Amino acid sequence: MKRTHGEHLSRATAEKAQEQRISASPETGLATANVAIGGNGSSHIDWTVLDPANSRKYHNVESSIYILPEEEFEQRRLLLQNRILAMAFEGHILAPEIRQSPEQARVILDVGCANGIWLESDITLNPSEFGTVCRAKIVAGDVTKTLPYDDNTFDYVHQRALSLGIPKDKWPHVIAELVRVTKPGGWIELVEASVKSRDFGGETTKLFSDKMEMALRARGVDTDLAKTLPIYVSTCPGVENIGQTTVQIPIGWGGQIGDLCAYDTELALISGGDFFKKYLGISENEFHEKVSIAVREWTETKAYGEFIAIWAQKKHVLDD
């Protein structure tokens, strides 16, 4: 009998995904919001999707190197990932000045917004942080080329989890684009995972990790952003007050966050099933068996995932 995604999962569902869906490519979706500070806790987002008919399984952008699909299954996983990262970093907003004085962030850009969960979390789930939303929308753009916004437009620019979609040689340009559309005195913030292979001690887990790193590097992906992202940001002209933090999130151990992360990692493997079956040269049944083995290994070997967050302020007066 053919297995469905639900039948394969070795863990109970960690949380119910929200019903609202926004179809946008993690590589090209851009969510913006104008935020009116004030109000007493009520908030609402009126999302506008420019191309809601997008039903392709994978990105239809010719130059895309992103390996994960756009299907509902993957979009629901991103909801869980959002929760895990909020737990690990103790919040969705990481730039200290914005975190302490959120009223500064009246116009916000979320680059690579996927289903819009980050912006929705900050505004809807934590209304005291941003007040009431008066307008929010999703537009199409390509941060590896030119964002469809004028210079000095946003107070706060956020980008997360685009490591699989941005070629290594494009990162300096990407950072420069984020800075360009940020107002003088505004902030950029990036959160990325390091996909560099690490030896967890589990043979099957290491097989997945090694093959993934090898294939991603062949596609031009920077697999060690935990080390290189600070370099990209610090060498970008026009920024100052750079800060960063790194978290190691347990997978399959360490309490609730470890359980959630194991579930998320399992879902990520399943989302990337076509990719792994191709590069490992295995059948669907063999793939599912290896995923089950890997899930057990994470707890036994105390596996972890590593994420880096880095933020920087655009200079009020740019150097000549």
Side-chain angles (χ1 to χ4, degrees), residues 31-254:
T32 67
N34 289 336
V35 181
I37 302 304
N40 56 5
S42 63
S43 59
H44 173 69
I45 295 181
D46 181 17
W47 295 107
T48 301
V49 184
L50 298 185
D51 185 15
N54 183 4
S55 60
R56 292 180 180 272
K57 185 176 181 181
Y58 291 96
H59 299 165
N60 60 352
V61 178
E62 185 176 349
S63 61
S64 176
I65 61 172
Y66 197 76
I67 66 171
L68 296 179
E70 293 182 335
E71 61 192 9
E72 178 76 6
F73 184 77
E74 171 62 11
Q75 297 303 310
R76 289 177 179 269
R77 184 190 70 81
L78 294 175
L79 300 176
L80 178 58
Q81 181 190 72
N82 183 69
R83 179 182 175 186
I84 292 167
L85 292 176
M87 293 172 67
F89 286 108
E90 298 182 347
H92 296 283
I93 304 168
L94 306 179
E97 188 164 324
I98 299 296
R99 196 165 188 166
Q100 294 168 10
S101 303
E103 66 275 6
Q104 298 179 61
R106 292 178 178 272
V107 188
I108 305 164
L109 173 65
D110 183 20
V111 179
C113 62
N115 52 22
I117 186 59
W118 176 82
L119 190 58
E120 184 173 341
S121 295
D122 281 316
I123 297 171
T124 304
L125 302 183
N126 301 296
S128 62
E129 291 183 351
F130 279 111
T132 302
V133 178
C134 58
R135 184 167 68 252
K137 64 180 180 179
I138 290 180
V139 301
D142 189 342
V143 72
T144 66
K145 296 178 182 176
T146 303
L147 291 173
Y149 301 107
D150 294 334
D151 297 356
N152 310 322
T153 298
F154 299 96
D155 300 302
Y156 179 33
V157 175
H158 173 269
Q159 178 177 298
R160 185 175 74 185
L162 291 190
S163 60
L164 301 184
I166 296 176
K168 184 175 182 177
D169 62 356
K170 292 289 187 179
W171 272 103
H173 171 79
V174 167
I175 303 300
E177 269 299 283
L178 302 184
V179 174
R180 179 184 68 79
V181 300
T182 303
K183 296 177 182 178
W187 292 82
I188 67 168
E189 177 182 296
L190 301 98
V191 179
E192 293 292 347
S194 176
V195 294
K196 187 174 179 61
S197 176
R198 295 185 301 276
D199 186 2
F200 295 149
E203 181 179 340
T204 301
T205 300
K206 185 167 174 53
L207 176 66
F208 277 125
S209 183
D210 287 350
K211 287 293 185 180
M212 181 175 182
E213 182 182 5
M214 185 184 307
L216 290 177
R217 289 177 65 181
R219 295 167 76 95
V221 171
D222 188 337
T223 60
D224 200 14
L225 280 175
K227 291 183 178 179
T228 58
L229 191 57
I231 298 174
Y232 297 142
V233 174
S234 64
T235 55
C236 180
V239 298
E240 59 186 355
N241 299 324
I242 300 170
Q244 70 179 74
T245 185
T246 301
V247 295
Q248 293 182 343
I249 307 176
I251 306 176
W253 59 282

